[in-house]
Amino acid sequence: MTPARATSALNIILLGPPGAGKGTQARRLVEDRGMVQLSTGDMLRAARASGSPVGRRVAEVMDRGDLVTDEIVIDLIRERLSGDRPGGGVIFDGFPRTLPQADALEALLRELGLRLDVAVELRVDDEALVDRVSGRVTCAACGEVYHDRTRPVPDGGRCVVCGGTNFVRRADDNADSLRTRLFAYYKQTSPLIGYYHAKGLLRPVDGMAAVDDVAQAVATVLDESRTALAAERRETA
Ligand code: ADP
Ligand code: AMP
């Protein structure tokens, strides 16, 4: 799968701490704009569920809340970027998380004649993250994200998207693991904020707002980027 080069297609990163709302917003963009979500967390959980050698290697690290090695996630992304070519652009969700991963992504996209258009940073207070992560529930069938308090599973226990009735909590959504994941975020991932700022690609969004308002702010950022990209293409034509 390769990111699209169509005029309107944007390839974007959703950057933010665990529980910031990256997956929630990515699913909106998939639905509203036909983009493709590439979540390394989802890929790693799928590898675990399948019992593959990679899945077995990463299980303990993930449960603890540490990052798995750059090599493993870069390989997963490389594999996914070398298949079909969808029309709507790609959302990198939870990748890159380290500077070597960011460099590898840039190199991979360059090899494919593509580029990264925007890095959207979802800004959320640490206290809110604890609440979000500890209340997170996910539909086992389609991955729709719910929250015990702010977006409970509807009465009748059926997923609003796929009608599934099996809901799961993540093994790493506990206080100990969240502490480690937050530490990893500030130590290893937050330098990417400066990295993308320096490249002129960083667009901060208030992730403390309600889901719909965050979605609106992200949509505005993407529309502005698309307009700027179109103008740039006209200039170089
Ligand atoms: P991430 O992918 O960044 O780890 P998720 O999208 O899974 O985060 O969201 C974590 C939890 O927070 C979920 O339970 C989700 O329903 C909830 N959530 C996401 N965005 C918001 C928001 N803007 N306001 C309140 N809760 C939110
Ligand atoms: P997420 O679903 O994005 O919250 O990721 C869950 C876990 O998967 C993380 O805590 C890490 O252990 C691992 N993981 C996901 N993406 C990456 C990445 N890009 N680099 C390293 N580890 C990752």
Side-chain angles (χ1 to χ4, degrees):
M1 204 256 4
T2 309
R5 219 187 303 218
T7 323
S8 58
L10 295 173
N11 299 316
I12 74 165
I13 292 174
L14 290 180
L15 196 58
K22 301 180 295 295
T24 300
Q25 295 303 324
R27 289 179 68 84
R28 287 288 188 102
L29 292 169
V30 169
E31 199 175 304
D32 297 347
R33 297 180 180 235
M35 297 178 79
V36 172
Q37 176 189 12
L38 288 193
S39 156
T40 39
D42 285 350
M43 292 178 207
L44 292 166
R45 279 184 288 278
R48 289 181 65 170
S50 74
S52 70
V54 166
R56 287 199 297 274
R57 262 168 73 199
V58 299
E60 199 191 316
V61 176
M62 287 177 76
D63 286 347
R64 207 168 53 227
D66 283 322
L67 295 186
V68 311
T69 63
D70 290 335
E71 190 197 0
I72 287 177
V73 286
I74 291 167
D75 280 352
L76 286 172
I77 288 286
R78 183 180 291 117
E79 210 175 286
R80 293 295 289 274
L81 287 180
S82 47
D84 312 334
R85 191 173 282 250
V90 168
I91 308 154
F92 294 96
D93 164 7
F95 179 90
R97 259 171 151 108
T98 64
L99 289 167
Q101 289 178 26
D103 285 337
L105 177 63
E106 193 174 321
L108 265 171
L109 291 175
R110 198 180 316 116
E111 269 171 39
L112 296 164
L114 300 163
R115 67 181 215 179
L116 184 68
D117 296 296
V118 191
V120 177
E121 180 202 355
L122 296 178
R123 291 192 171 165
V124 175
D125 300 344
D126 288 354
E127 301 72 46
L129 298 174
V130 178
D131 176 64
R132 287 190 186 185
V133 161
S134 54
R136 171 160 50 191
V137 194
T138 308
C139 171
C142 76
E144 186 66 7
V145 189
Y146 296 88
H147 187 277
D148 289 333
R149 192 173 44 76
T150 57
R151 191 178 185 234
V153 173
D155 286 345
R158 285 200 172 276
C159 173
V160 291
V161 174
C162 73
T165 52
N166 186 14
F167 297 89
V168 289
R169 287 180 195 274
R170 283 171 41 172
D172 58 349
D173 277 350
N174 60 72
D176 276 352
S177 174
L178 178 63
R179 210 170 301 121
T180 308
R181 283 150 73 200
L182 265 182
F183 190 76
Y185 176 76
Y186 288 116
K187 188 173 173 197
Q188 292 166 277
T189 307
S190 65
L192 297 185
I193 293 168
Y195 177 97
Y196 288 116
H197 171 72
K199 288 178 179 289
L201 296 179
L202 190 74
R203 299 287 181 276
V205 161
D206 176 15
M208 292 294 289
V211 170
D212 286 348
D213 296 331
V214 178
Q216 185 53 57
V218 171
T220 301
V221 162
L222 298 201
D223 289 342
E224 285 169 2
S225 299
R226 188 177 289 160
T227 306
L229 187 60
E232 194 184 306
R233 285 193 172 133
R234 272 197 304 276
E235 264 171 38
T236 52

